[in-house]
Amino acid sequence: ISFNSVDSSLSSLKNCQSYINTGMDIATHVALDLVESFNDVEDVNSMENVMLEYAAMDRELNHYMKAIEETVNQIKREKPENIPDLKVLVNEKFTALESQNTDSDLQKNEKYIYFKDQLKEMRKQFCHQSDNGNEAIEQIDEDIAVTQSQMNFICPITQVEMKRPVRNKVCGHTYEEDAIVKIIQNRKQQKKKVRCPKIGCSHADVKESDLVPDEALKRAIDSQNKQ
């Protein structure tokens, strides 16, 4: 049995998945724009709903691709004399996978987790700008917040303000992307692990795959520089 057409269809489905990923990236950036411009809560919640819809599409697509792959592997393994009805077999496996769906699945989506993390960081970075209250107290709080933020803007490796900050998903610390990647690659050649450069951090195995762009921090740095 030739599976060339099936392989071609799987390739097309994987392209669809890249479109879903792009949509989730755009939704994340729009949500961060809304927080930065203080159009928060309701508008941001609507973007979160969009992210969950994308996550549901991603889950459904993954299940369908998995059903196809399992069906193909089963036929290759069993080598039946008569060609079975692929559509029926795939639908049976797909239905079985979909029957196990729960709402918590969607919240485990990697891009949704990133969305929530960046939203939290964004609110943390920009909240002091929208606080109200006693002017004197507010000014002191704002000065402290700005000073703390500026300290967070400094890369622990280069000791200068970051331009392309990345966050370590394991320990939560941020570094200049080029600086940390260079260290990881150099240590990899030496077959050594990389300890997190942040003073006091016990994380002793920083991997390139654990680094994600910290868009919220980058926006905070850009906003501070504009001011």
Side-chain angles (χ1 to χ4, degrees), residues 10-226:
L10 272 175
S11 180
S12 297
L13 287 174
K14 285 174 182 176
N15 283 336
C16 290
Q17 197 167 38
S18 71
Y19 299 145
I20 291 173
N21 288 336
T22 299
M24 295 182 90
D25 289 340
I26 292 171
T28 299
H29 280 87
V30 170
L32 298 182
D33 285 341
L34 290 170
V35 175
E36 190 171 359
S37 58
F38 308 119
N39 296 323
D40 207 351
V41 189
E42 188 176 340
D43 291 334
V44 173
N45 287 343
S46 69
M47 295 315 300
E48 183 170 354
N49 290 334
V50 168
M51 289 293 291
L52 289 170
E53 287 174 15
Y54 272 126
M57 284 190 281
D58 185 61
R59 178 180 63 187
E60 185 176 351
L61 191 57
N62 278 326
H63 282 169
Y64 196 67
M65 288 191 294
K66 185 176 181 181
I68 294 173
E69 288 168 349
E70 286 183 356
T71 301
V72 169
N73 289 335
Q74 179 184 335
I75 293 170
K76 285 179 178 178
R77 188 171 58 251
E78 296 175 357
K79 299 178 182 178
E81 291 183 11
N82 298 317
I83 300 174
D85 190 327
L86 289 177
K87 187 175 181 181
V88 170
L89 287 175
V90 168
N91 281 335
E92 284 176 357
K93 291 183 183 296
F94 174 70
T95 302
L97 289 168
E98 284 286 290
S99 68
Q100 299 171 15
N101 289 348
T102 64
D103 289 341
S104 63
D105 292 342
L106 303 181
Q107 295 172 357
K108 292 174 185 175
N109 179 283
E110 189 173 339
K111 284 194 174 288
Y112 177 76
I113 292 172
Y114 177 74
F115 170 87
K116 294 291 286 184
D117 177 65
Q118 285 293 287
L119 212 56
K120 179 183 174 184
E121 290 301 318
M122 195 71 177
R123 284 172 171 148
K124 194 189 298 181
Q125 296 288 351
F126 285 87
C127 68
H128 70 272
Q129 297 179 17
S130 58
D131 288 341
N132 294 316
N134 181 277
E135 272 189 34
I137 295 173
E138 183 181 337
Q139 184 60 49
I140 292 169
D141 288 343
E142 186 169 325
D143 288 343
I144 293 170
V146 169
T147 302
Q148 289 176 340
S149 293
Q150 287 172 337
M151 287 172 63
N152 293 332
F153 295 169
I154 304 300
C155 171
I157 304 167
T158 64
Q159 293 301 310
V160 297
E161 187 176 88
M162 290 178 276
K163 294 180 179 177
R164 293 175 60 186
V166 289
R167 180 178 297 277
N168 189 324
K169 291 188 290 184
V170 178
C171 63
H173 293 127
T174 52
Y175 334 97
E176 181 65 56
E177 183 177 20
D178 290 344
I180 188 66
V181 168
K182 187 175 180 180
I183 290 175
I184 292 171
Q185 290 175 348
N186 287 340
R187 290 297 179 90
K188 190 175 182 180
Q189 290 176 349
Q190 299 168 6
K191 296 182 179 180
K192 292 181 180 179
K193 293 181 179 180
V194 178
R195 176 176 288 278
C196 175
K198 187 74 173 179
I199 295 173
C201 183
S202 60
H203 181 45
D205 189 12
V206 180
K207 296 183 176 71
E208 201 168 341
S209 58
D210 291 330
L211 305 176
V212 292
D214 196 330
E215 180 67 22
L217 183 57
K218 185 179 185 304
R219 286 170 181 248
I221 292 170
D222 291 344
S223 175
Q224 184 65 37
N225 289 337
K226 285 176 185 176

